[in-house]
Amino acid sequence: MANSRSAKAPRTAPGKAVHKIKITLRDSRPPIWRRLEVPSGITLRELHDVIQAAFGWEDYHMWAFESGRDRYGVADRDLGIGSAASKRLGQVTPHTGDRLRYTYDFGDDWEHDILIEDVTAPEAGTAYPRCLTCRRACPPEDCGGIWGYDYLIETLADSRHEEHKDRLEWLGLDSADQFDPAAFDAAQVNSALSPLATVLIKN
């Protein structure tokens, strides 16, 4: 995937800058996304942890970032994947408008499009990463990718569907009312991100 670049440079050094990013689950309709602010100096390995926490994934599967022709994740020469721990977000996507792709679970292929919306100076006393806003719940693990998730929602919505009871049992639910794909809670996301957060500039 091409890495879009603009002429705009970061307004502060990567170690003391913040990337405002929007992460959208590709092909999700309606869109499932998270808008976050993260330290520009975090490694892609650390960004993986942030995405897992922000979406509610459970980190069961392989993953990789793509920037142009380069791929980063758990280093694997046979798969052409370099070490995500050796690359920082501000190095790979230094400018507003840059893009990065993150794929989680090489079977279900959950592809996330990451857009750099801004690069700014951090606020004093603010811990990063933090979630600014978000939309819609994360799909359950191992439900078959975005198309399998659409089928899951369709099945749960129809109590007469032949797989309705099996899907409820698989999710560990008593009724379909307990599953709300439209649910989102930025405060809950920030609670999940809090163990990863750090203050870049003290008051």
Side-chain angles (χ1 to χ4, degrees):
M1 181 185 68
N3 186 6
S4 167
R5 294 189 178 277
S6 68
K8 183 178 178 182
R11 289 180 278 182
T12 187
K16 292 293 183 182
V18 170
H19 270 47
K20 180 181 177 182
I21 62 178
K22 183 178 182 181
I23 310 170
T24 304
L25 193 57
R26 176 170 276 237
D27 294 323
S28 57
R29 298 290 184 272
I32 300 168
W33 55 267
R34 308 287 184 264
R35 178 172 283 116
L36 311 175
E37 287 182 330
V38 302
S40 304
I42 66 171
T43 66
L44 296 184
R45 177 64 183 81
E46 292 167 328
L47 182 59
H48 158 73
D49 291 334
V50 169
I51 295 172
Q52 289 285 311
F55 274 81
W57 297 121
E58 299 182 47
D59 206 3
Y60 289 156
H61 302 285
M62 294 181 67
W63 53 275
F65 290 93
E66 295 177 50
S67 175
R69 297 182 179 179
D70 298 321
R71 300 179 75 201
Y72 304 101
V74 178
D76 188 316
R77 183 175 298 179
D78 292 337
L79 294 177
I81 300 177
S83 172
S86 69
K87 290 291 181 179
R88 299 189 180 277
L89 179 61
Q91 294 174 317
V92 178
T93 55
H95 306 111
T96 299
D98 282 349
R99 294 178 181 270
L100 188 63
R101 182 163 303 160
Y102 169 79
T103 301
Y104 172 61
D105 186 348
F106 294 169
D108 281 0
D109 281 330
W110 299 106
E111 293 186 333
H112 305 66
D113 291 322
I114 304 173
L115 170 65
I116 311 306
E117 294 187 323
D118 205 357
V119 181
T120 64
E123 298 176 12
T126 298
Y128 302 94
R130 65 175 177 173
C131 176
L132 301 177
T133 187
C134 53
R135 287 295 182 273
R136 301 188 71 81
C138 181
E141 294 271 358
D142 301 321
C143 68
I146 196 64
W147 313 115
Y149 182 49
D150 290 343
Y151 181 70
L152 175 64
I153 293 174
E154 176 185 323
T155 302
L156 292 176
D158 182 2
S159 61
R160 295 173 297 179
H161 194 288
E162 61 182 2
E163 295 182 33
H164 182 83
K165 290 183 178 179
D166 289 340
R167 293 302 178 111
L168 284 177
E169 184 177 346
W170 179 68
L171 290 169
L173 303 178
D174 295 322
S175 72
D177 294 340
Q178 295 174 287
F179 181 82
D180 183 5
F184 65 92
D185 186 342
Q188 186 175 3
V189 173
N190 278 314
S191 178
L193 290 172
S194 61
L196 306 173
T198 185
V199 175
L200 300 181
I201 298 178
K202 296 182 179 180
N203 287 320

